[in-house]
Amino acid sequence: MSESNPISPHPASALDDVVHHRARLGILTVLGEVRTATFSYLKSLLGLTDGNLGRHIEVLAGDGLVSITKGYENRRPRTWVTITDSGDVALAGEMAVLKQLLNQFEERDLL
């Protein structure tokens, strides 16, 4: 391939390393639907351990994709996780790339 005709990057190269991890994509997908969820709800729904979920939430929060609120509900400590506007944008971007990859995969069967 000549330099005057460079190769376009494969759509998979646009996957976001922070968002694409299975657990983090699961967290963002759930939050994209419900906006805010308790730590225990996410843990139960996604089948993660406390430590695993906590670490993935920290990564997402560190990139500004979720916000964390700690407080009490009926005298019990609770942690709420909320998707941010940046999280919505990142999730939509990841879904667009996945849709593009799926379309390419399905088109290959039509050739």
Side-chain angles (χ1 to χ4, degrees), residues 57-96:
I57 289 172
E58 286 176 15
V59 169
L60 292 170
D63 272 25
L65 305 180
V66 300
S67 63
I68 302 166
T69 305
K70 294 186 181 261
Y72 290 87
E73 184 177 71
N74 299 325
R75 295 190 209 164
R76 297 191 63 183
R78 292 275 186 250
T79 300
W80 292 273
V81 184
T82 303
I83 194 167
T84 64
D85 290 343
S86 295
D88 276 328
V89 169
L91 179 59
E94 191 73 5
M95 291 301 178

Side-chain angles (χ1 to χ4, degrees), residues 3-110:
E3 287 186 35
S4 63
N5 193 8
I7 297 174
S8 299
H10 191 274
S13 66
L15 291 169
D16 183 316
D17 289 338
V18 171
V19 175
H20 192 70
H21 186 281
R22 181 186 69 83
R24 293 190 290 263
L25 184 57
I27 293 165
L28 288 174
T29 302
V30 170
L31 294 177
E33 296 168 3
V34 300
R35 312 306 303 160
T36 298
T38 63
F39 185 93
S40 58
Y41 177 76
L42 291 170
K43 176 184 165 188
S44 173
L45 189 63
L46 298 172
L48 300 171
T49 65
D50 286 349
N52 200 327
L53 177 58
R55 179 66 187 125
H56 289 299
I57 289 172
E58 286 176 15
V59 169
L60 292 170
D63 272 25
L65 305 180
V66 300
S67 63
I68 302 166
T69 305
K70 294 186 181 261
Y72 290 87
E73 184 177 71
N74 299 325
R75 295 190 209 164
R76 297 191 63 183
R78 292 275 186 250
T79 300
W80 292 273
V81 184
T82 303
I83 194 167
T84 64
D85 290 343
S86 295
D88 276 328
V89 169
L91 179 59
E94 191 73 5
M95 291 301 178
V97 173
L98 290 171
K99 183 181 272 188
Q100 184 179 6
L101 289 169
L102 179 60
N103 288 341
Q104 272 187 222
F105 180 78
E106 290 174 342
E107 286 173 7
R108 119 199 130 138
D109 291 335
L110 299 176

